[in-house]
Amino acid sequence: MPAIHPPRLKIQADELVQNASDPEVFCRAYHQFLDSYADRTFRPGKVGEPPPLLRAYQVPKPVSRAVDKQLGVWAGEYRADALNLADALWLQPILEFRLTAASVIGKIDPLPVKHIFSRVETWIQPGTEERLVKALINKGLGRVLVETQDRYVKQVETWLRSRSYERNRLGLKASYPLIERRDFEDYPMFFMLLNRLMLAQEKPLRNEILRVLEEMASIIPGETAFFLENALKSSGYNTQIAWYLRNSLDYFPDETRSQLREILAR
């Protein structure tokens, strides 16, 4: 792996972007570029993050950031070409290519949103590794959330209402960044849909649901505790709801936690 010289790296990234409107040429050049910066000493297990499931060049983060930055400027001006490039990048079963695809769709004008949502929905499949899922939601849907939050909320609601387990999972994961926004207020709708999923007794969704409860307990602990208490009572003390309440106790402040324990003990 050669030493990184920022001025030279910027020139190389600029040269790559000159071919961005021709996906075939860009992908070929991108392979060569990534190969020139590949970390050939990388061994899985030597760093905290688990090794990728896909083939990866393991380039240093400054290299990926340089490409994302230059592509972002271009993608903001050439929406249709950027979508075509993102499709071509995702077809490559290589980690860096797919991370770049997520970055590209996150830089384009979010309207019409269907072009972005359809790609995220298609690309996130059973077995898609978690770092790619996070990139598609946090980066790929980033502008949609910031600039058209109402459309983002509507899409999350659609995914959560779906009869598809995978769409439900996607809706829950897409909820994390939404809940973190202090300007999000439509909690009644969200609690209603969350309650439905909690009652569905789909064990594979448990981790995602608990993660949502953790986020909500940290931001609106009182409302979240009230929701769980009502969900438990209205369900006739359903064991599935009780499980969620019991396993989310540690997410709440001490006083709220004590109140929830009393409810469980009844």
Side-chain angles (χ1 to χ4, degrees):
M1 180 180 68
I4 296 175
H5 300 287
R8 180 171 178 270
L9 179 57
K10 183 180 183 305
I11 292 172
Q12 290 175 310
D14 284 339
E15 291 174 346
L16 270 174
V17 174
Q18 289 176 13
N19 296 313
S21 294
D22 188 330
E24 183 177 350
V25 174
F26 180 91
C27 288
R28 187 163 56 245
Y30 199 27
H31 274 292
Q32 295 172 353
F33 170 78
L34 292 172
D35 187 63
S36 70
Y37 281 102
D39 183 356
R40 307 187 194 286
T41 66
F42 176 82
R43 294 292 182 273
K46 286 192 173 184
V47 293
E49 194 172 27
L53 302 177
L54 293 172
R55 174 191 169 193
Y57 283 102
Q58 299 295 347
V59 299
K61 289 184 178 179
V63 173
S64 299
R65 283 197 294 264
V67 175
D68 287 349
K69 181 179 180 180
Q70 299 307 113
L71 272 178
V73 176
W74 170 82
E77 298 180 10
Y78 302 98
R79 191 180 196 275
D81 285 348
L83 288 171
N84 289 335
L85 177 62
D87 289 337
L89 287 166
W90 191 265
L91 286 175
Q92 299 282 328
I94 297 170
L95 181 65
E96 288 86 357
F97 275 70
R98 294 190 172 182
L99 288 172
T100 301
S103 178
V104 167
I105 64 170
K107 298 295 185 182
I108 66 173
D109 184 333
L111 298 176
V113 292
K114 63 180 181 179
H115 297 148
I116 302 174
F117 284 134
S118 64
R119 283 167 171 79
V120 170
E121 189 171 298
T122 300
W123 292 349
I124 295 181
Q125 294 293 322
T128 301
E129 57 183 292
E130 190 62 23
R131 73 192 78 194
L132 285 174
V133 174
K134 288 180 178 178
L136 285 167
I137 292 172
N138 295 329
K139 290 185 177 182
L141 297 179
R143 278 193 69 178
V144 178
L145 175 57
V146 172
E147 299 178 27
T148 62
Q149 183 171 309
D150 57 333
R151 289 176 170 84
Y152 189 100
V153 171
K154 186 175 293 186
Q155 184 60 52
V156 168
E157 181 179 355
T158 297
W159 283 331
L160 292 177
R161 288 185 183 276
S162 171
R163 294 182 178 276
S164 163
Y165 153 75
E166 289 301 329
R167 295 293 165 263
N168 294 161
R169 181 190 289 274
L170 176 54
L172 288 166
K173 288 182 177 295
S175 299
Y176 307 156
L178 178 62
I179 294 167
E180 290 171 355
R181 290 183 63 84
R182 301 291 173 168
D183 57 349
F184 176 64
E185 298 178 346
D186 196 5
Y187 285 107
M189 174 277 293
F190 193 74
F191 282 139
M192 177 191 68
L193 295 174
L194 193 61
N195 186 45
R196 184 181 69 82
L197 291 178
M198 290 164 63
L199 285 169
Q201 300 188 7
E202 288 283 0
K203 290 184 179 180
L205 287 176
R206 278 183 169 181
N207 288 337
E208 282 75 19
I209 292 174
L210 279 176
R211 170 76 192 281
V212 169
L213 290 173
E214 180 179 9
E215 289 290 336
M216 293 195 300
S218 67
I219 296 171
I220 48 168
E223 292 88 337
T224 305
F226 183 73
F227 156 68
L228 286 171
E229 179 181 356
N230 277 356
L232 184 64
K233 291 178 179 178
S234 64
S235 69
Y237 288 80
N238 179 279
T239 56
Q240 184 75 358
I241 301 295
W243 184 92
Y244 283 109
L245 199 161
R246 189 179 306 109
N247 283 274
S248 64
L249 287 173
D250 290 342
Y251 306 149
F252 291 92
D254 291 342
E255 183 179 350
T256 306
R257 190 184 309 138
S258 298
Q259 295 172 357
L260 291 174
R261 282 202 178 101
E262 290 177 10
I263 294 167
L264 279 171
R266 292 174 187 171

